[in-house]
Amino acid sequence: MADADGKMKDLSISETKKNKKDGTPKTAAKKPQQQKKKIEGAALIGIDVAKQDDLGEWYQQVITKGQMISYYDVAGCYILEPSSYAIWENIKDWFDTKIKTLKVRNAYFPIFISADNLEREKEHVEGFAAEVAWVTQGGKSKLEKPVAVRPTSETAMYPYFAKKIQSHRDLPLKLNQWNNVVRWEFKHPMPFIRSREFLWQEGHTAHLTKEDAGAEVMQILDWYEGVYQELLAVPVVKGTKTVNEKFPGADYTTTIEGFIPATGRGIQAATSHCLGQHFSKMFDITVEDPNAKETGKSEKIHVWQNSWGLTTRSIGVMILTHGDNRGLVIPPRVAEIQVIVIPVGVTAKTTPEAKDSLYGKVKAFADDLASVGVRVETDYREGYSPGWKFNDWELKGIPLRIEFGPKDAEKGVVTTSRRDIDNKDEARGEIKIEDLKERIPQLLEQIQSDMFNRADKAFRDHRVQLTDWEQFVPTLNDKNVVLVPHCEGDKCEDEVKEKSARKALGDDVAEDSKAPAMGAKSLCIPFDQPEGIKEGETKCINPDCSNFAKAWVLFGRSY
Amino acid sequence: MADADGKMKDLSISETKKNKKDGTPKTAAKKPQQQKKKIEGAALIGIDVAKQDDLGEWYQQVITKGQMISYYDVAGCYILEPSSYAIWENIKDWFDTKIKTLKVRNAYFPIFISADNLEREKEHVEGFAAEVAWVTQGGKSKLEKPVAVRPTSETAMYPYFAKKIQSHRDLPLKLNQWNNVVRWEFKHPMPFIRSREFLWQEGHTAHLTKEDAGAEVMQILDWYEGVYQELLAVPVVKGTKTVNEKFPGADYTTTIEGFIPATGRGIQAATSHCLGQHFSKMFDITVEDPNAKETGKSEKIHVWQNSWGLTTRSIGVMILTHGDNRGLVIPPRVAEIQVIVIPVGVTAKTTPEAKDSLYGKVKAFADDLASVGVRVETDYREGYSPGWKFNDWELKGIPLRIEFGPKDAEKGVVTTSRRDIDNKDEARGEIKIEDLKERIPQLLEQIQSDMFNRADKAFRDHRVQLTDWEQFVPTLNDKNVVLVPHCEGDKCEDEVKEKSARKALGDDVAEDSKAPAMGAKSLCIPFDQPEGIKEGETKCINPDCSNFAKAWVLFGRSY
């Protein structure tokens, strides 16, 4: 929540000033009277509050100590440190390669948008007006006309579309940009999840027909699912947004919806919109009907447009999903470092020759791994014990650790330890040195799929199908999202939200004091619809709604 | 020039509105009474004013018709179209790979900077204050404290450096970001060359010693030279900036300086700064002296910092250097499309089978070329003559055209045409189809080096060494930059600038009415110093200066 002048209840300012030399940010949210259960055996450098006890505090520690985020002195803005930016670059490479197969071309449009353009599509501007940042001054001079910092680029790009699209031969026009956008939100900020500036890609395309536009919307959504499921190991549900939740100015919005098990809240993961002809009408983007000669009519066609975006929020969802009480857990496919090699068993008694020999072997197999594309680093730091190093790299979430000491060398093996498995014995393994080039990539893929499968199970277990309103709020309170028959009416949806908000429940209901106060909103209408809704027969779940249900709709408290 | 409210004499606004459907922007700068010499034989789709007659008009046509830039309705901001953005991506890939060998890591810092931080280094803020854009409003609310849109990120990043650098073990710290920056300039804007927003990379590093910092400054400068000379085929001179021209807050600035033959003006191409300890003192970035135990003193050391940046201006320098009266000429190494294949000799009489056969062969060798990494496209568009297509791709600057018709097919050859050679006969060649995979990459490299050599000769021919002040201004007026003995005094430099400005010359002097009115400033003190300056003997070139020359300094009118 913020006061009118735009200050957010954010930890950035005080933190960077007060703890400048400390390096371990403390949180203002942690009140002195709160006694947190300390994690038993937690190392000094590690996380000192359990994920299940205080997710907010845990998240702050994990992202800062794990070196994903550093706080900043402008509220709602955060520094993406190299480890998190590397994840973004991996996402970028994967997705950029995909869209290039559709002949989408990258471009760059200015960050500033004139008020005139911003305001051309009514629904769109209403959707964004409350959170647009305005530049009103350049140097010492006041600008005659303030310019908006882009919250999204539809209105920056579509005058260009109008200029470039002169004939149906100019279609489809497919552009994308990787850039920063600003939404001056006043809600409580959360690194990655809700920040005033974030990075994303925004694709903007124009097509001759509704069908062509629609096909692309779905193709992009599939790739967004790929980013989450295949790269970040985070399960999502694909669907369509209800009218209440669609993008301002879109015909319809398709979405992938994620889930944070620790809070039982849903989270919008990425959206792919069919804008229809709303913007092409406002921006006058037309072509002559290519079939005009045949039909005898010379008719203008307004082009069909899409826009689609994926943001750095994805990294936050990944952290919230996989992180544990030892810190980050990063899926191998996006990790900057996939394997950390730590020499062990070097003591005061070790001769320099023995040490050189050991380190030489480490270097040799690390080079081998690098040669087959494994992102591997070695940790030869002096003055730190192996145990300290283990904790350090676990905190940073490196998917796989290789330990190598004199005993391993004798046996011609390395000891491996998977980050994603909590039980130490189960996490460990042994691989022959000559097999490393083959086995390590396999093991990384195993970690990747195991991480996804665990998260997928958690989401499935917490996606509860029900038809009885009495179960609606209790099920939400048990950290689930719910799949319910709904009429898809926007007012009914507002009612459901209001009825499921905490204020309607009384203070004694929620055991978990951190349960969100907000009500449940519709997350999506999943493409994958179970049986059971009969037209004109199945009632909407809202007892005060007299309409019949149109579909199973996923509702949840959400970010 | 701009009036106080920040409006620039810019063509963007009127252009996009008036010629929305035309697609060929006209320029407000072209007054009706001006009669431009039309280029003989210029195609309708091409450039209709010669580079030598009106560089400004030519540039506008080349960048818009060549689809590098589209105008925009916020003054001083431009759209980077896919063809120019692809050049930027090629530069990015090359340079990013280089800096990663130095273990520089990419990160992302917020676009907004608090006034507190921005103002911490006095010299720095003075250098940028006049052109900082300020966000003062978020949604409907006025911000309590306005935030600056980054003009550069020293002050955004260095509080983070102070936090992260706790010990000499944390050094060196090397970060880089690829981002957008904003400088709300009031000078006449010029796409790529001077715009209010531009893209760049900014590297920021911290080192334990002055020597380590200095070595990196030079390494980076070498790579900047590489971007210009090896990728963009643009020659540059390496050197150090004088005190007058160094980066605000730097110890010293090294630079590569380019040259635009058409105007005889120098242009700053990229800079690599050693910031010394200026910022580390202001931001309190210190470590304990690692040698403290030996020396017995426990002393704090302020770290040594560098920053270095390369911008999208580089694309503008490339265009101004190589473009000709047929349009853009893009060096092969950065071109989005290196080879365009155009089937020829298909007439109304051609049977469908013959056409299919011809196109099949085109596809086959184009695929072959792609398989060896050549960026190749084919142009099968119906309804356009080969001649029209030739002009179209020449305008876009594609380095090499392959023509392929029935006669070529019979002989088993293709006809090639180099974009960089004006004489049609000299530009043409013939290559056997079976040799294409070997010969085309070679030919592209030949084009690349020929382009560089021609530009290098032009720069050498226009870099005139002189010692006599009487020749100074006339030599500048002949479109040269000059290498002169100079005392390196900042006031003397101001005097030289004033004396070489047009107002000091009288109106009748400059034949070329487009000669810039500004005086010559120092471009750099080249690393490569000719013989001839004797300490305490050689006079400074400025007749009113009583000091001895310290070095040969490159002066020129500049962008």
Side-chain angles (χ1 to χ4, degrees):
Chain A
M1 302 299 121
D3 39 299
D5 61 43
K7 271 164 104 185
M8 297 167 101
K9 224 191 211 177
D10 188 273
L11 312 167
S12 337
I13 300 171
S14 55
E15 185 276 318
T16 29
K17 281 191 184 156
K18 286 188 193 152
N19 297 304
K20 198 171 74 64
K21 282 289 169 186
D22 177 339
T24 54
K26 284 162 195 155
T27 164
K30 189 180 161 185
K31 290 173 201 130
Q33 69 270 27
Q34 281 180 311
Q35 290 296 327
K36 292 294 158 213
K37 192 158 61 184
K38 296 287 171 186
I39 301 171
E40 275 179 53
L44 269 179
I45 57 165
I47 311 302
D48 65 14
V49 60
K51 189 178 183 183
Q52 62 274 23
D53 290 337
D54 185 343
L55 188 76
E57 168 76 19
W58 171 88
Y59 185 66
Q60 286 211 355
Q61 290 196 17
V62 158
I63 56 172
T64 53
K65 295 185 180 181
Q67 301 184 5
M68 292 272 125
I69 283 283
S70 190
Y71 285 96
Y72 191 70
D73 78 335
V74 174
C77 294
Y78 306 96
I79 297 163
L80 297 187
E81 295 195 71
S83 314
S84 60
Y85 194 78
I87 294 172
W88 186 238
E89 286 185 318
N90 285 328
I91 292 173
K92 210 162 151 172
D93 285 349
W94 188 90
F95 186 74
D96 206 64
T97 304
K98 295 289 183 198
I99 59 175
K100 276 181 177 151
T101 65
L102 289 185
K103 301 226 167 219
V104 175
R105 294 167 84 200
N106 287 332
Y108 188 77
F109 284 72
I111 192 172
F112 297 125
I113 304 180
S114 67
D116 279 356
N117 272 338
L118 189 70
E119 287 158 10
R120 264 160 94 169
E121 212 286 336
K122 188 171 164 286
E123 207 181 320
H124 183 74
V125 67
E126 279 170 6
F128 285 103
E131 52 190 50
V132 170
W134 292 93
V135 169
T136 62
Q137 193 174 324
K140 305 280 175 213
S141 316
K142 199 171 171 236
L143 306 193
E144 191 187 321
K145 287 190 179 178
V147 291
V149 183
R150 63 178 162 225
T152 177
S153 300
E154 280 74 10
T155 56
M157 292 172 83
Y158 298 165
Y160 173 86
F161 275 56
K163 191 161 78 177
K164 288 285 160 172
I165 298 169
Q166 298 293 317
S167 140
H168 69 92
R169 288 189 191 86
D170 301 321
L171 294 173
L173 177 59
K174 303 181 183 181
L175 298 181
N176 179 66
Q177 52 186 1
W178 294 94
N179 58 1
N180 55 341
V181 286
V182 170
R183 297 180 186 175
W184 205 263
E185 298 207 47
F186 295 93
K187 285 185 211 162
H188 194 66
M190 183 173 174
F192 294 119
I193 303 299
R194 183 182 295 111
S195 53
R196 283 181 169 168
E197 182 192 12
F198 56 85
L199 303 183
W200 75 347
Q201 63 63 223
E202 49 176 326
H204 294 265
T205 62
H207 305 261
L208 185 62
T209 67
K210 187 175 179 175
E211 290 67 36
D212 287 354
E216 186 194 80
V217 164
M218 295 304 290
Q219 173 62 80
I220 295 297
L221 196 72
D222 282 348
W223 286 330
Y224 285 160
E225 182 189 40
V227 167
Y228 272 82
Q229 302 203 153
E230 293 175 33
L231 301 188
L232 302 172
V234 169
V236 291
V237 168
K238 287 198 282 190
T240 311
K241 287 284 187 187
T242 59
V243 171
N244 258 12
E245 297 294 333
K246 75 177 173 67
F247 180 75
D251 242 20
Y252 62 90
T253 288
T254 67
T255 181
I256 50 172
E257 295 289 321
F259 175 72
I260 307 300
T263 52
R265 285 160 70 176
I267 185 161
Q268 179 179 304
T271 45
S272 176
H273 318 291
C274 182
L275 304 177
Q277 298 173 310
H278 297 229
F279 287 91
S280 65
K281 283 177 182 164
M282 290 306 128
F283 287 88
D284 195 18
I285 314 174
T286 60
V287 298
E288 297 285 326
D289 183 352
N291 302 316
K293 276 183 189 166
E294 290 160 32
T295 60
K297 286 183 275 184
S298 170
E299 220 169 299
K300 269 191 178 180
I301 295 178
H302 286 96
V303 303
W304 292 82
Q305 291 180 276
N306 296 335
S307 72
W308 26 274
L310 171 83
T311 81
T312 39
R313 161 178 275 203
S314 53
I315 300 170
V317 179
M318 178 205 85
I319 294 169
L320 286 163
T321 300
H322 301 301
D324 66 17
N325 289 336
R326 289 178 289 149
L328 295 166
V329 185
I330 305 178
R333 289 193 189 155
V334 292
E336 182 186 24
I337 302 172
Q338 297 173 311
V339 177
I340 182 70
V341 185
I342 301 175
V344 297
V346 177
T347 66
K349 290 180 211 158
T350 310
T351 64
E353 293 74 27
K355 188 174 155 186
D356 281 356
S357 157
L358 192 77
Y359 282 22
K361 281 172 189 156
V362 166
K363 189 183 177 327
F365 71 69
D367 286 351
D368 264 4
L369 287 173
S371 77
V372 293
V374 174
R375 297 188 290 270
V376 58
E377 291 285 340
T378 45
D379 183 352
Y380 301 116
R381 283 179 292 177
E382 300 285 343
Y384 298 93
S385 71
W388 188 94
K389 289 181 183 178
F390 293 176
N391 287 343
D392 186 42
W393 293 106
E394 283 175 0
L395 187 56
K396 291 174 183 157
I398 310 307
L400 189 66
R401 177 173 80 229
I402 289 180
E403 302 162 21
F404 188 70
K407 284 177 195 165
D408 300 295
E410 260 172 46
K411 289 168 68 184
V413 300
V414 304
T415 302
T416 55
S417 180
R418 289 172 58 159
R419 177 63 185 89
D420 65 313
I421 297 177
D422 213 39
N423 181 301
K424 277 191 184 176
D425 294 330
E426 283 173 30
R428 293 176 86 83
E430 204 175 83
I431 300 178
K432 283 189 188 161
I433 290 177
E434 64 260 38
D435 296 339
L436 285 175
K437 279 161 73 168
E438 194 186 338
R439 292 280 307 281
I440 294 292
Q442 286 169 355
L443 186 51
L444 291 171
E445 281 299 291
Q446 188 65 49
I447 294 171
Q448 181 84 30
S449 67
D450 288 352
M451 286 178 72
F452 174 74
N453 288 333
R454 278 191 295 269
D456 192 43
K457 182 172 185 311
F459 193 3
R460 285 180 193 280
D461 289 349
H462 290 270
R463 211 150 69 216
V464 179
Q465 193 174 344
L466 51 87
T467 52
D468 177 6
W469 175 254
E470 292 304 314
Q471 295 171 17
F472 191 98
V473 174
T475 308
L476 289 178
N477 289 348
D478 285 344
K479 297 188 178 173
N480 298 295
V481 292
V482 295
L483 191 63
V484 298
H486 191 258
C487 67
E488 295 184 18
D490 49 350
K491 280 177 190 158
C492 174
E493 202 178 316
D494 292 340
E495 271 180 44
V496 169
K497 191 172 180 178
E498 205 175 317
K499 286 180 190 176
S500 55
R502 178 114 64 88
K503 60 175 162 34
L505 306 177
D507 279 330
D508 55 324
V509 176
E511 279 181 52
D512 178 1
S513 63
K514 295 283 157 189
M518 91 268 280
K521 64 181 187 183
S522 78
L523 304 172
C524 71
I525 308 162
F527 292 154
D528 186 9
Q529 284 282 319
E531 304 268 303
I533 292 193
K534 289 179 190 150
E535 209 186 317
E537 195 170 315
T538 311
K539 283 274 304 155
C540 176
I541 192 151
N542 178 3
D544 298 325
C545 174
S546 56
N547 293 323
F548 291 111
K550 282 192 184 158
W552 293 97
V553 177
L554 194 65
F555 275 82
R557 292 177 175 138
S558 75
Y559 286 87
Chain B
M1 303 298 122
D3 38 300
D5 61 41
K7 272 163 101 185
M8 299 168 100
K9 224 190 209 176
D10 187 275
L11 313 167
S12 336
I13 300 169
S14 55
E15 186 274 318
T16 28
K17 283 194 183 153
K18 287 188 193 154
N19 296 303
K20 198 174 72 68
K21 281 288 168 186
D22 177 341
T24 54
K26 283 163 195 158
T27 164
K30 188 179 163 187
K31 291 175 200 129
Q33 69 270 31
Q34 282 181 313
Q35 290 296 326
K36 293 292 160 215
K37 192 157 63 183
K38 295 289 172 187
I39 301 168
E40 276 180 53
L44 269 179
I45 57 165
I47 312 301
D48 65 14
V49 59
K51 189 177 184 184
Q52 62 274 19
D53 290 338
D54 186 341
L55 188 76
E57 167 77 20
W58 171 88
Y59 185 66
Q60 286 213 352
Q61 290 197 17
V62 158
I63 56 173
T64 52
K65 295 184 180 182
Q67 301 185 2
M68 292 271 125
I69 283 283
S70 190
Y71 286 96
Y72 192 71
D73 78 335
V74 174
C77 294
Y78 307 95
I79 297 162
L80 298 187
E81 297 194 72
S83 314
S84 60
Y85 193 78
I87 294 172
W88 185 238
E89 286 185 317
N90 285 326
I91 291 172
K92 209 162 154 175
D93 285 349
W94 188 91
F95 186 74
D96 206 63
T97 305
K98 295 290 182 198
I99 59 176
K100 276 181 177 151
T101 65
L102 290 185
K103 300 227 168 219
V104 176
R105 294 167 84 200
N106 288 331
Y108 188 77
F109 285 72
I111 191 170
F112 297 124
I113 303 180
S114 67
D116 279 356
N117 272 338
L118 189 69
E119 286 158 11
R120 264 159 95 169
E121 212 289 335
K122 189 171 165 285
E123 208 180 318
H124 183 72
V125 66
E126 280 170 6
F128 285 103
E131 53 191 51
V132 170
W134 292 93
V135 169
T136 62
Q137 193 173 325
K140 305 279 175 212
S141 316
K142 201 173 170 232
L143 306 191
E144 192 186 323
K145 287 188 180 179
V147 293
V149 183
R150 65 179 162 226
T152 177
S153 300
E154 279 75 10
T155 56
M157 292 172 85
Y158 298 165
Y160 174 86
F161 275 56
K163 191 162 78 176
K164 288 285 161 173
I165 297 169
Q166 298 292 320
S167 142
H168 69 92
R169 288 188 193 86
D170 301 321
L171 294 174
L173 177 58
K174 303 182 185 181
L175 298 182
N176 179 66
Q177 52 185 1
W178 295 94
N179 59 359
N180 54 341
V181 285
V182 170
R183 299 181 184 173
W184 204 264
E185 299 207 47
F186 294 93
K187 285 185 210 162
H188 195 66
M190 183 171 174
F192 295 117
I193 303 299
R194 182 182 296 111
S195 52
R196 283 180 169 169
E197 180 192 12
F198 55 86
L199 303 183
W200 74 347
Q201 62 64 223
E202 48 177 328
H204 293 266
T205 64
H207 306 261
L208 185 62
T209 67
K210 187 176 178 172
E211 291 66 36
D212 286 354
E216 185 194 81
V217 164
M218 296 303 289
Q219 173 60 81
I220 296 296
L221 196 72
D222 281 349
W223 286 330
Y224 285 161
E225 183 189 39
V227 167
Y228 273 83
Q229 302 203 153
E230 292 175 34
L231 300 188
L232 301 173
V234 169
V236 291
V237 167
K238 286 198 283 191
T240 310
K241 287 285 187 188
T242 59
V243 171
N244 258 11
E245 297 294 333
K246 77 176 171 66
F247 180 75
D251 243 21
Y252 62 90
T253 288
T254 67
T255 181
I256 50 171
E257 296 288 322
F259 176 72
I260 307 300
T263 52
R265 285 161 70 177
I267 185 160
Q268 180 180 303
T271 46
S272 177
H273 318 291
C274 183
L275 304 177
Q277 297 172 310
H278 296 232
F279 287 91
S280 65
K281 284 176 182 164
M282 291 305 126
F283 287 88
D284 195 18
I285 313 173
T286 61
V287 298
E288 297 287 326
D289 183 350
N291 302 317
K293 276 182 188 166
E294 290 160 32
T295 60
K297 287 182 275 185
S298 171
E299 222 169 299
K300 269 191 178 180
I301 295 179
H302 285 96
V303 304
W304 293 82
Q305 291 180 274
N306 297 334
S307 71
W308 25 274
L310 170 82
T311 80
T312 38
R313 161 178 274 203
S314 54
I315 301 171
V317 179
M318 178 205 86
I319 293 169
L320 285 163
T321 301
H322 301 301
D324 67 17
N325 291 335
R326 288 180 290 151
L328 295 165
V329 186
I330 305 178
R333 288 191 191 159
V334 292
E336 183 187 23
I337 302 172
Q338 297 174 311
V339 177
I340 181 69
V341 185
I342 301 176
V344 298
V346 177
T347 65
K349 288 182 213 158
T350 311
T351 63
E353 294 73 27
K355 190 174 153 185
D356 282 355
S357 158
L358 191 78
Y359 282 20
K361 282 172 187 154
V362 166
K363 186 178 177 334
F365 71 70
D367 286 350
D368 264 4
L369 286 173
S371 77
V372 294
V374 174
R375 297 190 288 272
V376 58
E377 291 285 340
T378 45
D379 183 352
Y380 301 117
R381 283 178 290 177
E382 301 285 340
Y384 299 92
S385 71
W388 188 93
K389 289 181 181 177
F390 293 176
N391 287 342
D392 186 42
W393 293 106
E394 284 175 0
L395 186 57
K396 291 174 182 157
I398 310 307
L400 189 66
R401 178 174 76 231
I402 290 181
E403 303 162 20
F404 188 71
K407 284 178 195 163
D408 299 296
E410 259 172 48
K411 287 167 69 184
V413 300
V414 304
T415 302
T416 56
S417 180
R418 290 173 57 160
R419 177 64 184 86
D420 65 312
I421 297 177
D422 213 39
N423 181 300
K424 279 190 183 177
D425 294 331
E426 285 172 28
R428 293 176 86 82
E430 204 175 82
I431 300 178
K432 283 188 190 161
I433 290 177
E434 64 260 36
D435 296 340
L436 284 175
K437 276 161 74 169
E438 193 186 341
R439 292 281 306 284
I440 294 291
Q442 287 169 355
L443 186 51
L444 291 171
E445 281 299 291
Q446 188 65 49
I447 293 171
Q448 182 83 30
S449 66
D450 289 352
M451 285 178 72
F452 175 75
N453 289 332
R454 278 191 296 269
D456 192 44
K457 183 174 186 306
F459 193 3
R460 286 180 193 280
D461 290 348
H462 290 270
R463 210 151 70 218
V464 179
Q465 192 175 346
L466 51 86
T467 52
D468 178 5
W469 174 255
E470 292 303 313
Q471 294 171 17
F472 192 97
V473 175
T475 307
L476 289 180
N477 289 348
D478 285 345
K479 297 188 179 173
N480 298 295
V481 291
V482 296
L483 190 63
V484 298
H486 191 258
C487 66
E488 295 184 18
D490 51 349
K491 279 178 191 161
C492 173
E493 204 178 313
D494 292 340
E495 271 180 44
V496 168
K497 191 173 181 178
E498 204 174 317
K499 285 181 188 175
S500 55
R502 178 114 65 88
K503 60 176 160 37
L505 307 175
D507 279 332
D508 55 323
V509 175
E511 279 182 51
D512 177 1
S513 63
K514 296 280 156 189
M518 90 267 281
K521 65 182 188 183
S522 78
L523 305 173
C524 72
I525 308 163
F527 293 153
D528 186 10
Q529 284 282 319
E531 303 268 305
I533 291 192
K534 290 179 189 150
E535 209 187 316
E537 197 170 311
T538 311
K539 284 275 300 156
C540 176
I541 193 153
N542 177 5
D544 299 324
C545 174
S546 56
N547 293 323
F548 292 112
K550 282 192 185 157
W552 293 97
V553 177
L554 194 64
F555 276 82
R557 292 175 176 141
S558 75
Y559 284 87

